[in-house]
Amino acid sequence: MINRVVLTGRLTKDVELRYTQGGAAVGTFNLAVNRRFTNQQGEREADFVSCVIWRKAAETFANYMHKGSLVGVEGRIQTRNYENQQGNRVYVTEVIVENFSFLENRSQSNSNGVSGNSPMSQQTPPSTINDPFTDGGAPTVTDDDMPF
């Protein structure tokens, strides 16, 4: 059986980081994922997906990701159920995050309304000194550069 989920979206609020009685970190968050099509009014709708991340990854994720951050997550769908205080059975479907990627840097986050208070925001951009594309042109390639 295959149970794989790959999502790209923005956090709807800061990650809620808690610890179990055994000391394991667990983070919960909702990811707003845009649909690929528009509705009849021409507006793009989004799905709001509940996600859970565990242990050291949860702590790292909570430290660097904040409301509005663009992130990619990979994991699996899990369902669970419980009985609430009113005696009703409640079913929950969530993504258990096994891997994640930061998809934008600080300047991009700030232009999307994300505060720059994360440790990630204090990083400096990579040097462009040796980047052949910084002048807007393509690198020069000769026949001697080709391996065949």
Side-chain angles (χ1 to χ4, degrees), residues 42-77:
E43 300 166 341
R44 188 170 302 271
E45 295 179 354
D47 293 302
F48 297 89
V49 182
S50 298
C51 300
V52 178
I53 188 167
W54 288 89
R55 297 176 186 77
K56 182 65 176 168
E59 294 174 326
T60 302
F61 194 87
N63 286 334
Y64 289 95
M65 296 286 104
H66 299 284
K67 179 180 178 179
S69 295
L70 182 65
V71 64
V73 299
E74 179 183 353
R76 59 186 166 82
I77 290 180

Side-chain angles (χ1 to χ4, degrees), residues 63-65 102 104-106 118-124:
N63 286 334
Y64 289 95
M65 296 286 104
F102 306 126
E104 63 188 358
N105 62 30
R106 176 183 170 223
S118 71
M120 186 176 170
S121 67
Q122 297 164 5
Q123 295 177 348
T124 56

Side-chain angles (χ1 to χ4, degrees), residues 28-113:
T28 57
F29 60 94
N30 284 323
L31 202 61
V33 180
N34 284 340
R35 294 182 179 173
R36 296 185 75 137
F37 52 87
T38 58
N39 61 19
Q40 292 179 343
Q41 292 76 31
E43 300 166 341
R44 188 170 302 271
E45 295 179 354
D47 293 302
F48 297 89
V49 182
S50 298
C51 300
V52 178
I53 188 167
W54 288 89
R55 297 176 186 77
K56 182 65 176 168
E59 294 174 326
T60 302
F61 194 87
N63 286 334
Y64 289 95
M65 296 286 104
H66 299 284
K67 179 180 178 179
S69 295
L70 182 65
V71 64
V73 299
E74 179 183 353
R76 59 186 166 82
I77 290 180
Q78 179 173 292
T79 58
R80 59 185 172 89
N81 64 75
Y82 63 93
E83 193 171 303
N84 66 13
Q85 293 177 347
Q86 291 77 27
N88 297 327
R89 179 72 46 198
V90 177
Y91 293 90
V92 178
T93 301
E94 53 203 3
V95 172
I96 306 301
V97 177
E98 297 168 350
N99 193 12
F100 63 90
S101 298
F102 306 126
L103 297 180
E104 63 188 358
N105 62 30
R106 176 183 170 223
S107 62
Q108 290 170 320
S109 295
N110 287 338
S111 68
N112 289 316

